[in-house]
Amino acid sequence: MPKAREIVPGSERKYGAQYKVIGKNYQTADLYAKVTGQAKYAEDFRADGMLFCKLLLSPLPHARVKHIDASEALKMPGVKAILTANDLPAPADSLTDLGTVIKANPRGERALTNEPLYQGEPVLAVAAVDEYTAAEAIEKINVEFEPLPFVLDPLDSLRPGGPNPRVEGNVWDQHQPPPAKPGERPASPPPAEVAELKWTSADFEGAKQGRLPMGKPTDDWSYGDIDQGFKNAELIVDESFVTPDTSHQTLETRSALAYWQNGKVYVHTGTQSTVQTVPALARWLHIDASNVVLVSEYTGGGFGSKVTAAITAIIPALLSKKTNAPVMMRITREEETFIGRGRPSLLGRLKVGFSKEGRITAVDMFVICNTGPYDAVGDAGAAARIVSLLYQPPAMRWRGATIMTNTPPRGPQSAPGGMQGIVMMEPIICKAARKLGLDQVAVRRVNCPEGKADFGPVQNGKRAHCTSSFMKDALDRGAEQFRWQERVASKPKRAGSKVRGLGVSLSCFFGGSTGYDGLFVIKSDGRIAIPSGIGNLGTESVIDCHRVVAEVLGVPWEKCDLTWGNTTQNLPWTCVSGGSQTTHAMTRAAHAAAMDAKQKLQEIAAKKLGGKPEHYEVAHERVFAKGGGAGMTLAQAAQHAVKLGGKYDGHEAPPDVNKYTKASVAALAGQGLVAVAKDKYPHDGTSMSFVASFAEVEVDVETGKYNIIDFLAYADVGTVIHPRALGGQVLGRSILGIGHAIGQKWVFDPEYGHMISRRFYQSKPPTILDVPPNMQWAALDIPDPETPVGARGIGEPPVGGGCASILNALSDAVGDDVFRRAPVNADTILTSLEAGRPMQDPLTAHI
Amino acid sequence: MSEADKQVSETAAKRVSRRAFIKGVITSGVAVSSTSYLFRASTLAGQRSSAGLGERLITLNVNGQQRRVDVVKQETLAWTLRYKLGLTGTKLGCDRAECGSCTVLIDDVPYYACSVLTHTVRDKKVLTIEGLASPHGKLHPVQQGVVDEQGFQCAYCMPGFVMAAVGFLKTNPNPTRAELAHGISGNLCRCQDYDKILTAFMRGAEYMRRSSRA
Amino acid sequence: MGILEWATSPWGQRVPIHIAWFLIWVSLIAGLLFLVVHAIYVRYFAKQKQYAATTSPELLSRLPEKISRHSLAARLFHWIMALAMLALLFTAFLPKVGVQFNWVTYHWIAGLVLTGSIIFHIIHASFFLDFWSIWPDKIDLQDSWKRTLRFFGRPAPLPRKSGKYPFDNKLYHGVIVLCGLAVMVTGIFMKFRVRTGILPRNPYLFGDMSWGLMYVMHGLAGVALIALVVVHIYFAVRPEKLPITYSMVFGSMKRDFYLEEHDPERWVVEPPPFPGSQKGGAHAD
Amino acid sequence: MAVIRDVMPAFQLLQPTSIADAQKILDQYGPDAWVLAGGLDSFDWLKDRIKKPNTVVDLSGVEELKGIRETGQGLEIGAMTTLTEIAQHPLIKAKYSLLAQSAELVASPQIRNQGTIGGNVSQDTRCWYYRAGWPCYRAGGNICYADTPVGRNREHAILHAERCVAVNPSDTAPALIALDAKFVIRNRKGERVVNAEDYFVGPEIDITRLTVLQPGDLLTAVRIPATWAGAQFYFEKVRDRNVWDFPLMNVASAMVLSGDTIQQVRVAVNGAAARPLRLKAVENAIRGKQRSIATAEMAGNLAVQGAVPLQFNAYKIPLMRNLVKRSITGVQEATWAS
C-alpha cells in the first residue's frame, strides 16, 4: 500500500452556505487553555490548608454495618475527621419547574451508607493532611458487617425463591397520585417503595433453551394488532439477546474539591450541567440553592454519568464543613468504576414478523433491565420507543421489567436504552434480510421512518411523532459514499483464514429539549458578553450554541466574549448537557435572546431616532433604518439601554423566565443592553436525530480476532452548527457504540458479588488501534422544521449504529447463528464457530 | 514550613502568571489557585528508614528549569508534578499506565508519569505540556495542529496525547496516518475522538516538518 | 509469629487459611526430643519392670511356641497405611521446606489409599477383630495409677501385665486415631478443591471460615503426625520392642515375650485347634 | 481489610549503580527486598497496597544491566534493556526478528519505552482474582477462585493447571524459548545459566511464583545463541484490544528448513498455562517432515492433546491448535480483489 502522506480530514464537506457563522469551523475559546495544559479540571485546583479525603468501600455486595471502630485511625497524627452515614443531612425534597414537590426518597442513594447495596459502595470517608495518611487511616478502621443476601443477575432475582437485592424486594413500586384536576397543580407522588417481583417456574421453562423467559413485567404498552401482524408475516424471527453493562469511564474521575466561606459552599467538580448542578447539590446538602457555588470550567467527559451532582461532591463538602478546611477528594479509577455509573445490561427477546418485501408487520419485545440497587433507569422503555420509531412497526407490544441487583448503580449513558434496543433489533433485521434474500440497506429503507413519523404507544389519545426524519436520505447517501452496492457485489468474501463482512445499521435517539432561557449583554463598547450555563464537556456546545447570537445580530464572533463554568457568573437557566438536548435547546434559547436583543435594539433606535421599531434592522454591528438611513452602533444602543433602564438594561426581567435567570438578570442589570428570553418557539413533535452507520470487518476465523477496516456514519441532525465538533461527536459516539461491540463489559464473580473487571485492561474501552485510521462521517444538513435554527443534538444517536453495524458486519462474515450477545470477542466467535451454534450463554451479561 | 518548602513554593508562585492567579481568585472567591500545593509534613509521608529529609530533597530538571523539591520515596512523577510543582497539565486518568493522560517526555522519550518514581529521574530532563510552547506563548507545531483542527473533545487526555505525539514525531517525523496511530496508541481518549485527534496530529506533523525545514 | 496463617477474604473477613509452616519443625523437633529424652530415661533412670504374678503354669504348658498376634490382613493394612502415611507426610511437608516437586497428585492419591485402608480397618476391627482390645480399660487406668505412684516412690500394689496391647500403645493408638481421622475427613473434603476426577470440583462447598478451619485442622493433625510417626518408628526399633515389630512383620511373637509382657487373662490366647489359625484379635497400631 | 488504591505505602528506596551493589542489597534484605525493573508490574502491586515491601531496589541506575551486545556465541541482552530498544535494534530485527516482533506487540509504546526484557519475562500473572488481592493459592491461600463452578476464567489455563489456573502473560517469553535463549541469574553463590524454558515454573512446582527466581536472585542478562539467527520465524499474539492487552494466547516458532523439509524447529506458546510451554512433542513430531498443511495440522492437533477447558475458555483449544498450525506454515495473507 503506498504511503498516504496527505492529511485526510474526517469527511470535509462545506456546511452552512447560507450563514456567516453557523456551519463554519472556528477556534473555540477554550482550546488554547486545553492544549497548553492550563485548563483547570476539578482536581487541578488547590486551596490553602487543603485536606485530602479517602473512602472506605464496602467489600460486600449487600450488608449491614454493625459497628465502626475508627479509634486507631483517629489517633493518627494528621487525621482530621471521619464522616459516616450518620453525619449526612436528610436529603431535601425538590421542586420542579412546574411547582411539583418531589419527595426525597429515604431509600434512594446517599453519599455514604450503613447498608451497602453493592461492593464498592462508600461506607465512610476520612479527611487527613495528605493521601498517604488518609490511606493508612482507612486501613486502620475496622468495620463489622453483617452479610445479607445478594443478587447480581436480574433473572436470578426473578426466580421463584430467588434472592432479593434489598431487604424489601427487587423492584420499585411507584404509586401515582390521582391525576390533577384542571387548573390545579399535580399532587406530589409519594416516594417510591421497594416491592418484590417473582416469576413462576413455568415462566422459566424457556430459559432452558437459551430463550429469555417472560413472566410478569413491571411495565408494558402496545399499539396496533400484533396478532394480526404476525399472522400476516411471511417470516417470524424470535431471538434472545444480551447487551453488556459498561462503565461510562470518563477519563476524568469525579474528583471534587469543596470548602465553605461565609455560609456558602464552593464546590469544584466536573459536571455536565453548570446551572442545574446547583439545585442538586443544595438538595443533597439540604441547604438553600443560593448558598451553593459551583465551579466546573472543564469536565473530563460525561457521557451521561455527570449529569448533575454526584455523591462524590457531597462527601468533601460535608467533610469540609466538619473540619473547617477545604477538602479534596481524588477519586481513583477503581473507585470511579464502582461509583461512576454504568449503562445497564438489557436481556431482551424480540419476536418480529416480516412481509415478503421485508416490511415489519409486528414486533413483540420483552426486555429485562439490570438497574443496580438504586434509582430505576429508563433504558427498558427507551429501548422500545426507539425501536418503535426507527423500524416503524405497524403493531408493537412492549413489556419491560426493570430489576434491582447488587451491582453498581446505573445511569443514563449516551443513547440510554436506545442503543440497546437497536443492538437487539438490528441482528434480527439482518437475519430476516438474509432469509428473505433482500439487500441489507434495502430492507432498512423499507422500514425506516420518514418525515414526522409516529412512535411509541398511544398516550392521551395520540401517539408521539418526531419533528422530522430524513433517514432514507441518510441511508441512500451513506450507501453511496460507502460504496455499499459495489462492496456487496465484490467477491470473494473469504481469502485464506480471513472473512470480510459488511454491516449497516439504522440509529437514532432523542435530539433536543425546549423551554430554556437565553441571556447575554451587549456592552457599552459594543462587545457581547455571553454567560453560558452549559456544561463544558468538550463537545463545544458550551460555545457553539451561542454562535447563533452572532449570526442573528450580525456581530463578528471575535466580539463575543464567553464566560462559563462558574455559577457566580450570572448564568441563565440552562438544560443539562445530556440526552443530546443542548444544541437543540440552547440554540433555541440563544435565538430567542438574540431576537429579544433585536427587538430591544429596534425599540431603542425608534425611541432615539424616531419612527417605528419595525422600520429598523440590525446588521453589521449596527441598528439602522431599513434601506440605509439613520442608525447607531450596538455600542451606542447599549449606552442608551443603560440610560433607559427597565427591561432594556435588565432592571426588569420577562415574567416567564426561570427564577434562576431572573436572579442573573438582576445581577447584570445596568451593564448594557440585557437580552433575555425564554424559548417559547412552537414545537409539536419530539426532536430526534438519525444516523445511518456502515461498517466493514475482517474476521480471522482461525483465531476469532477481527478488525474493523472501514466505517462511515451519515447523520440527519438538522442544521450543522460547527462541523468539526459535529464530526467529533458523530465518530466519537460511534466509537463509544463500537466499544460495546468489541469488548467493553463488566464481569462479576457470582460467589462473592465482586466486580472483577475493574481495570481498563479488563473492562476494555476501545483504543485508537481498535478503530480504522480513516473513519468517515457526513451530515445531511437539512434544517429541522420545528426549531428556529434547525439544529438538533447528536451526542447519542450514533451510538446504537456504531455497535450494531459492527455486529451486523460480523454476522455477515461468520453467520447469524453463532452469537447472540455483545460484546463479541475472539472467544465468542471461535467457540461458536467450532460448535456451529451460539456457545456463550445468551442470558448472562457478566462473562 | 521548612526553608526548602518555601523555596519551592516561591519558585512555583513565580511561574504562575499574574493573570492566571487573578482569574483563580475571581473564579473561586477564596485562595483557590493553580499554585503548587504543598504536602504538610506528615509523619506517615516520611520513610521508615533513617533516610531523612536530606535524601528527600532533590533537584529536578522540569521544562528547562532546575526545581528543588521534597519528594517521598514512593512518590510518582505525576504526583510531584501535580502536587509539588503546580504543573497540573499532566493529568491522572487511571494512575496505572493504562490511559496515557500523564504522559511526559523524559529525555525526549514518552513515559507514563504515574508509573515513574520521581527519585529515578533526578538527573534527567522532564518535559510536560506546560513546557511545550515557547516562553512567549507560541505553540508547538503539534499544539498548533490541534488548535487548527479542533482536535479533542473534553481534552482531559490531550496533554498526554500531545506529549506522546511530540515524542513519537521526534523519531518518526514523516509517518502515515496508520503509523502515527500506532505511535500514539498508548493514549486513551474516552470521548473516542480518535479520528479528529489523528487528523490534528497529522497536521501537527506537517507543521513540524515545515518548521524544521525553515 | 502465630501458629496460624490468616488472610483477608474477598469480603474483608479475617479467615485462617492454614497453619504456620514452622510447626513442621516444631513437631519434628518435639518428636526427636521425645526420642532423646525417652532413650536417656530408659538407659539411665528406668527401673526394672515389675508385675504382679499372673501366669499359671497350667496355662503355660498349653501355649504354643509362637503366639499369633497379627493376622495377615491386619499386617497388610498396617504396612499399606504406613506407606501411605509416609508418602503423605513427605509429599505434604517436603515442598514446604524447600524441596519442590509436583506433590499434590501423589498426596491425594496417597490420601485415597490411606482413607481406603482406614475404612477397611474400621470395618475389619469392628466386626472381625476383638474391637475393644485396643481401647484402654479399667485395669489399664488402675495400673497406670499404680505405676505413677510407684514411680514417685509411693506405696502401691504392683500393676498387672498388659493385655494384648500395652497401655501406652493404646494411648498412642487413640491419638493416632484422632489425628488420622482428622486428616482423613478434612482431606476427603479437600478433594473437592483439587481436580481429582473423582469428586466434582467445588471450592464453595463450605464458607471461607469453615474451609479455613478445615485446612487448619488438616495441618495441625498433619504436623502432629510427624511427631507421632517419629515416636512410632523409634519404638519400633527399640531393642525391647523388637518382638512386637517382629510380630507386625511375621504375625506372631515368641511365647517367652508374651509371658513376660502380657497377662494371659487379659489377652487370652487359646491354643490352636490346628496350627496357623488363631482366634484373638490383632489390633494394629 | 479495606481496599485502598493508588496510594503507595511507604518504602525504603535503594538505587544501586552496579550489579555488585545490587547483589549486596539483595543479600542483605532477602525476601524483604522488592526488585524494580521497569516497574509496570510492581507499581500495580504497590498501588493496590497488596504488597508492602520494606525495601524497593530500583535497578534503573545499573548501566551494566542495559544494552545489547554481540558476543562470539550470539547476542547478550542486558535484563534492563527496554522493549523499545529490542523492538528497534537493527541486529535483532535482522537476525532475531522473532524477538523484535514479540517485543513490539507488548502493551503500549510508553510501556515498551519503560518496560524491560527482564521484567517482561519475570512479570506476575494477571489472573483477575489474584490481582484483586484475593487470598488464592498463588497468594499463599488454599483456593483457586477462577476454577470454581462459577469462576470467570475466560483468560485462564487449558494446560498443566494444578490447583491454580492462572497463565503467564509474557509476550517475549515464548519468543525467547523458540530462540533457545539462556537466562543468566546471579546470586551470592555466583552465576548460573538456565534455559529459557526452565526459567519458568508451573504451579505443581511452586504455586506462588512463575519463575525460578528466589529472593536474592537477580536476572542479569538474556543470551541468544547464534544457532537460530536468520531462521524462519513466526510470531502471533491474539488479544482483545490492539493496545495494552495481554495475550489471550501467543505463539512463537523458529524453523530451519532444507528445501521443504523441516530440519530444526522450536515452538512455544504462552497464555495456555502458568508457564510458557515449549512444545517438544510437536517439535519432535515435525522434525524431518515436509513443511506442509498436513504437517501443520498434525502439529496443531498434537499441541492441544491433554488440554482441559474451564467453563469459559474452551475457545483456547482451537485457538492454540490454529496458532500452532500457523506457526509451522505461516498465515495466508488475505488478498482482496477490491
Side-chain angles (χ1 to χ4, degrees), chain B residues 44 46-49 73-74 76 79 94-99 103 109-112 114-117 119-120 122 164 182-183 185-188, chain D residues 5-13 15 36 38 40 43-44 47-48 52-54 56 58 60 104 108-114 241 243-244:
Chain B
L44 282 154
Q47 307 300 320
R48 285 202 288 252
S49 75
K73 296 297 167 89
Q74 70 270 33
T76 61
W79 274 33
C94 68
D95 212 350
R96 293 307 184 88
E98 288 197 276
C99 79
T103 302
V109 177
Y111 279 85
Y112 295 134
C114 73
S115 298
V116 171
L117 292 179
H119 275 269
T120 63
R122 273 174 310 202
H182 196 256
S185 62
N187 292 69
L188 191 71
Chain D
R5 300 294 191 231
D6 299 351
V7 182
M8 279 194 264
F11 50 71
Q12 173 181 223
L13 180 68
Q15 298 179 285
L36 197 69
L40 292 153
F43 290 137
D44 276 348
K47 287 181 176 182
D48 283 342
K52 295 184 176 178
N54 166 288
V56 170
D58 164 38
S60 66
E104 182 62 34
S108 75
Q110 285 93 324
I111 288 177
R112 296 193 289 275
N113 290 340
Q114 184 173 352
R241 297 188 303 165
V243 192
W244 279 297

Side-chain angles (χ1 to χ4, degrees), chain A residues 363-381:
Chain A
V363 169
D364 190 4
M365 181 176 192
F366 197 107
V367 287
I368 298 173
C369 171
N370 182 347
T371 194
Y374 289 113
D375 289 353
V377 288
D379 290 46

Side-chain angles (χ1 to χ4, degrees), chain C residues 29-85:
Chain C
I29 290 166
L32 295 174
L33 214 61
F34 174 87
L35 178 160
V36 172
V37 170
H38 185 268
I40 292 170
Y41 167 77
V42 171
R43 174 75 181 74
Y44 298 106
F45 304 101
K47 295 172 187 158
Q48 186 68 39
K49 278 184 196 162
Q50 285 180 308
Y51 296 112
T54 47
T55 320
S56 68
E58 181 263 342
L59 179 76
L60 226 158
S61 66
R62 286 172 46 207
L63 284 173
E65 188 67 16
K66 280 189 172 180
I67 309 294
S68 182
R69 184 173 157 99
H70 300 297
S71 70
L72 182 65
R75 279 178 283 144
L76 273 177
F77 154 73
H78 173 268
W79 289 112
I80 288 171
M81 189 210 62
L83 276 178
M85 181 63 78

